[in-house]
Amino acid sequence: MLLPIETVAALLILEVFCRREYPVLPGSGITTLAVLSSCLLLLAASYAVSRIVYLRLRHQPGRGRGNWTGYADIFLRALAVAIFFATLHFFPFTHVYAGLLGEAASVPVRNLCGIVPFVLLCFMTWLPCYRLHRAVTPGKWTLPRFLLHKIRYGFFILIIWLPFLWVGELLEPGEGANEAVSSVLEVEMYGVFALAAWVFPFALRFFWGCKKLRDGEVLARIGAVQQKAGVKFSGVFVWDFGGDALANAAAVGVMPPFRYLFLSRALLRVLSPEELDAVVCHEMGHVRHRHLIYYLVLIVAAMRLAQELLIGFGLSGMSLAAGMILLLLAIIRFGFGFYSLRMERQADLYALEVQGSAEPLCRALEKIAAAAGMPRRQHSWHHWGIAERVDFLRAAEKNPAIVSRHHAHVRGLVLPGLAVSLAYLMFSVTNSNLLPPPDWKETRWSGLSEKEKIVHWEAVARVLPDDPRGPYRLALIYLNGNSPRERELALAYAREAQRRARNEDDRMSIGKLLEKMPGEIK
């Protein structure tokens, strides 16, 4: 199962843009036209790419077919994110559609209004690629089944993201909140995130259409393996991953009662009982060695560090969103991938330790690769190739010292990383002002040009969404302009500053500013 990086990137873009304020918004008609035009543009590009790849595959049977399809898929996913980014920048449909719903100031509603156009853009890449997918993927694929598969595995993270947004809105520090209150609320947010990660598998099994395994013989064997390995799953489910075509298994959930074992239909069909036991032991290895907890802590710490570094370097708006996406890809590819390769090998060794033989898992890996039409030496950034895994398992069976050395190697990498990540998260929460926001003192910006002042105060207004000083300064700058457009912006920013006013002194200063506004724009 692959992480839907394009969806994660879109959510990061929304997180940045939904917290921006726009004094003037485009109309809903022109915004909708822009969104539809983006969809049509992506549909045309997807059709052209899929057509080119499909024609090439007709002249290249067998070897290399999956590579070309994979390259096309990566390109179209990246193109969908780029078009989504550009459309949102020039036509902030998040704010426009939230305003139509009467919830213009609600960040969760803005996010929800923003993810719907992204789903439409994804459909524009899926529809032309259906024939391409059917040509290279085993099994019988109908268009509805293909689209359902894409929705389930492209947007499953929404079932934790959407509730988390509304909880975050409730725990947002109010006006006048001091640093201590803000830190407490931030700790509460991490607690909510941990609770959501714990309960997440319960919702995931419904979203993925999993059904309880009813085969008594298979359940009895899995129960015996659980007892032997000392690992307990709260339920075993048949996983509709790729229908009857793709063989896969997954251990989902950090601890009971929401820790489940998912087995695909193809896996149950192609493996013998002993081979299925080996795959189950591999998944238990991830649980036994606490890989899921390590992944969770490392990713959260890395993403927080990335955000603070980018803001600390003065990035905001488009630059911040682009930087977050690039850092996310780098973290997943090189950080998560580095740990994943070693943890997958450790899970393989756990199956060897429990069963006492490498052959059942080796045969299972060979069958899984054959069922998917995967070359033995083909590997990914998060899994070794089948040939490498089989060779390593057989070598470890002959030389048990390899097992202990690899466990020590993984501990030497994971435990320091885990300790540093936890220490950093605790320090960053209790020292939330470590990377201060842009300074608003006169001495820091009095020598800037008018354009530089506007950029500076726009950044202050975005970074400090409840502080009136950013829009107040922008109103003063635009009030000295000569064009009607600049005066309209001055009034819009003055009203925004009035909305953010925190005390009577703020309201008096902003009231005096509004009195200076020309009568024709009030």
Side-chain angles (χ1 to χ4, degrees):
M1 182 187 63
L2 295 177
L3 182 69
I5 296 179
E6 71 280 9
T7 305
V8 176
L11 297 183
L12 285 174
I13 292 172
L14 287 173
E15 177 63 21
V16 172
F17 280 90
C18 285
R19 296 186 182 277
R20 297 180 64 179
E21 298 296 336
Y22 296 87
V24 180
L25 292 172
S28 58
I30 189 67
T31 301
T32 303
L33 181 61
V35 171
L36 293 177
S37 300
S38 300
C39 291
L40 292 175
L41 175 64
L42 185 58
L43 179 65
S46 301
Y47 178 79
V49 170
S50 63
R51 180 67 178 170
I52 292 171
V53 174
Y54 185 78
L55 291 176
R56 184 175 185 87
L57 294 184
R58 291 178 61 183
H59 302 288
Q60 187 180 4
R63 188 177 179 181
R65 292 166 65 88
N67 291 340
W68 278 99
T69 307
Y71 297 148
D73 181 62
I74 292 172
F75 173 76
L76 291 177
R77 289 159 69 186
L79 184 61
V81 173
I83 291 178
F84 177 73
F85 189 6
T87 307
L88 181 57
H89 174 66
F90 292 107
F91 299 91
F93 46 79
T94 50
H95 296 61
V96 173
Y97 296 146
L100 293 177
L101 296 174
E103 297 286 344
S106 172
V107 173
V109 173
R110 290 177 183 175
N111 275 270
L112 189 58
C113 292
I115 200 63
V116 172
F118 181 71
V119 174
L120 291 176
L121 287 170
C122 289
F123 266 88
M124 297 304 104
T125 65
W126 297 340
L127 290 172
C129 291
Y130 164 62
R131 185 171 64 163
L132 191 62
H133 177 87
R134 192 174 58 180
V136 300
T137 306
K140 296 179 180 179
W141 290 88
T142 62
L143 180 59
R145 178 180 168 190
F146 169 71
L147 294 177
L148 181 61
H149 175 81
K150 287 291 190 179
I151 292 171
R152 281 177 170 172
Y153 303 106
F155 295 104
F156 67 88
I157 58 175
L158 297 185
I159 63 179
I160 191 174
W161 173 73
L162 289 173
F164 192 68
L165 279 178
W166 263 274
V167 174
E169 182 92 338
L170 294 175
L171 294 179
E172 187 76 21
E175 292 185 3
N178 57 32
E179 291 182 7
V181 173
S182 298
S183 294
V184 170
L185 291 175
E186 193 165 1
V187 171
E188 290 180 354
M189 281 293 291
Y190 279 110
V192 171
F193 180 78
L195 177 64
W198 179 44
V199 180
F200 173 66
F202 179 76
L204 186 64
R205 67 187 181 93
F206 291 103
F207 190 80
W208 277 354
C210 299
K211 298 179 181 179
K212 279 193 173 183
L213 181 63
R214 303 294 182 185
D215 190 322
E217 183 179 348
V218 175
L219 284 173
R221 291 188 65 90
I222 293 174
V225 173
Q226 289 185 81
Q227 187 173 8
K228 182 178 180 180
V231 176
K232 178 68 175 176
F233 289 107
S234 302
V236 181
F237 293 86
V238 179
W239 185 19
D240 189 23
F241 180 74
D244 297 324
L246 303 178
N248 206 345
V252 182
V254 293
M255 64 182 66
F258 303 113
R259 182 195 290 154
Y260 305 119
L261 177 65
F262 293 166
L263 304 172
S264 73
R265 298 182 190 279
L267 194 77
L268 294 170
R269 189 184 69 249
V270 302
L271 298 186
S272 69
E274 190 181 23
E275 293 160 358
L276 183 61
D277 290 350
V279 172
V280 171
C281 287
H282 170 92
E283 298 303 329
M284 288 179 177
H286 288 302
V287 176
R288 190 70 173 177
H289 292 293
R290 300 179 180 86
H291 293 165
L292 300 178
I293 298 176
Y294 296 155
Y295 286 150
L296 193 62
V297 173
L298 292 173
I299 289 176
V300 170
M303 290 307 300
R304 181 172 179 84
L305 177 62
Q307 186 177 20
E308 288 196 351
L309 285 176
L310 290 171
I311 293 176
F313 281 113
L315 298 182
S316 61
M318 287 186 67
S319 301
L320 178 60
M324 285 294 289
I325 292 171
L326 292 176
L327 275 175
L328 170 71
L329 295 175
I331 289 168
I332 291 176
R333 173 61 181 86
F334 298 105
F336 181 85
F338 177 81
Y339 281 104
S340 178
L341 288 171
R342 286 146 184 84
M343 290 179 178
E344 288 294 332
R345 184 161 279 178
Q346 190 176 38
D348 284 347
L349 291 176
Y350 186 77
L352 167 62
E353 292 172 309
V354 172
Q355 291 193 300
S357 171
E359 285 310 308
L361 184 57
C362 291
R363 292 197 305 269
L365 292 173
E366 297 284 6
K367 287 184 178 181
I368 290 171
M374 180 193 307
R376 292 184 74 253
R377 299 199 175 275
Q378 179 179 320
H379 61 86
S380 65
W381 57 270
H382 56 92
H383 275 86
W384 298 104
I386 297 298
E388 292 171 299
R389 294 174 69 178
V390 168
D391 292 343
F392 181 79
L393 278 168
R394 288 174 174 160
E397 185 178 17
K398 294 178 182 177
N399 183 9
I402 294 177
V403 179
S404 56
R405 281 202 304 267
H406 187 75
H407 288 325
H409 171 65
V410 174
R411 283 196 300 270
L413 291 172
V414 170
L415 293 181
L418 185 65
V420 170
S421 299
L422 288 173
Y424 167 70
L425 287 173
M426 293 177 64
F427 181 77
S428 65
V429 169
T430 55
N431 297 270
S432 56
N433 60 343
L434 178 63
L435 296 174
D439 197 343
W440 50 75
K441 293 181 180 179
E442 291 273 346
T443 54
R444 293 292 300 274
W445 66 282
S446 57
L448 301 178
S449 67
E450 184 171 295
K451 184 175 180 180
E452 291 172 329
K453 291 176 185 178
I454 291 173
V455 172
H456 173 80
W457 288 111
E458 283 180 344
V460 172
R462 287 193 297 271
V463 173
L464 303 174
D466 296 322
D467 197 304
R469 280 170 284 197
Y472 178 78
R473 290 292 184 180
L474 288 167
L476 285 176
I477 294 171
Y478 282 116
L479 184 60
N480 297 322
N482 298 320
S483 68
R485 170 65 175 166
E486 289 177 309
R487 295 182 179 181
E488 288 178 4
L489 288 173
L491 179 61
Y493 278 119
R495 287 176 174 167
E496 174 61 20
Q498 188 178 44
R499 186 186 69 80
R500 299 185 184 189
R502 298 172 295 185
N503 50 51
E504 191 59 35
D505 290 340
D506 286 347
R507 282 186 278 274
M508 287 181 61
S509 298
I510 298 167
K512 291 178 181 179
L513 176 62
L514 285 169
E515 290 176 1
K516 297 179 183 179
M517 296 287 172
E520 66 270 15
I521 68 168
K522 286 186 179 179

